[in-house]
Amino acid sequence: MFKKNTRVSRVEQSLNHSTQDAVAYSVMTGMGESYFAAFALFLRCSAPQMGVLASLPPLLGSLAQLASAWLGRRTGWRKGIILAGGTLQGLMLLPFLILPLAFPAYAFPALLCCSILYHFGSNLVVPQWTNLMGDLVPARRRGRYFGKRTSWATMAGLISLIAGGIILHSFDANGATQLGFIVLFTVAAAARGVSLYHLSAMHDPPETRPATLKLPI
């Protein structure tokens, strides 16, 4: 009985951590990823370049889901793959900002490479995270739990998106647009760091099903 209660407690704690991860992740996307296109425009990328930035990185990054499923099946490092992918995604926010500003002549290739790696890291997480949550959330609770989790994440994403716009507008009005982007991407990277902390604190029970390529709810 004690062991069973301990396991239930670890699961509940993990679900709380997962909700907080969702909030932090939404802050990252609201303050960071949502302003990728605006940053590319600030760097005077052309319309064709904008099209490539919008389409190619997500397409190539999605291949990481195949790599994630294969690695998870071969190694069983479910949580390790999640943390590795999340770390790569978070780390790419800073060079995404710094490299184009430091080397403006190579702004587009720098943005493209960093964006591909950013999406690669994100997609590396997806199959293993989906598989982990499938083991943590009882079937009878999934609708209620993910509904609540999504509500908090959506609220955080909307607030951070609006806050990011206000911050960027304020800096732009004072002729410091570049500094505004620095603030946004720094906050986004910090939010991903908080997200990774909560992911690392989650319990990883023995896997009960093969890795899946389904997207998280």
Side-chain angles (χ1 to χ4, degrees):
M1 178 64 71
F2 177 76
K3 290 183 177 180
K4 182 178 179 180
N5 289 338
T6 300
R7 184 182 182 281
V8 170
S9 176
R10 293 180 72 184
V11 168
E12 291 300 326
Q13 290 175 2
S14 295
L15 296 184
N16 288 334
H17 280 296
S18 179
T19 299
Q20 294 176 75
D21 156 55
V23 170
Y25 185 90
S26 294
V27 172
M28 180 200 69
T29 56
M31 284 266 191
E33 186 176 333
S34 297
Y35 289 94
F36 282 2
F39 186 55
L41 286 173
F42 171 71
L43 294 171
R44 303 183 183 280
C45 288
S46 65
Q49 289 174 336
M50 293 291 294
V52 171
L53 285 171
S55 58
L56 189 59
L59 176 63
L60 295 180
S62 65
L63 298 176
Q65 293 197 34
L66 298 175
S68 177
W70 182 81
L71 282 172
R73 195 177 303 115
R74 290 293 298 269
T75 66
W77 295 343
R78 183 163 60 178
K79 190 172 176 180
I81 294 171
I82 292 172
L83 294 176
T87 300
L88 176 61
Q89 183 183 26
L91 288 176
M92 282 303 103
L93 286 167
L94 296 180
F96 185 92
L97 171 69
I98 294 170
L99 291 179
L101 297 177
F103 307 100
Y106 303 97
F108 173 68
L111 286 175
L112 183 61
C113 290
C114 290
S115 187
I116 290 172
L117 291 173
Y118 173 90
H119 285 282
F120 188 91
S122 176
N123 281 279
L124 197 64
V125 172
V126 172
Q128 304 306 321
W129 182 89
T130 306
N131 191 241
L132 173 63
M133 294 304 291
D135 287 335
L136 284 174
V137 186
R140 66 182 183 278
R141 288 187 56 190
R142 286 176 188 168
R144 183 170 69 255
Y145 171 75
F146 282 111
K148 180 179 178 181
R149 183 182 186 274
T150 300
S151 297
W152 282 107
T154 302
M155 186 184 305
L158 179 60
I159 292 172
S160 61
L161 179 64
I162 294 172
I166 293 172
I167 291 170
L168 193 58
H169 175 75
S170 299
F171 278 97
D172 184 61
N174 289 285
T177 308
Q178 179 174 317
L179 183 57
F181 280 112
I182 291 174
V183 171
L184 291 188
F185 290 128
T186 300
V187 171
R192 190 45 162 156
V194 173
S195 165
L196 286 168
Y197 164 76
H198 289 294
L199 286 171
S200 68
M202 291 174 63
H203 173 51
D204 187 2
E207 188 174 354
T208 59
R209 57 182 59 78
T212 175
L213 293 180
K214 291 183 180 179
L215 291 173
I217 296 174

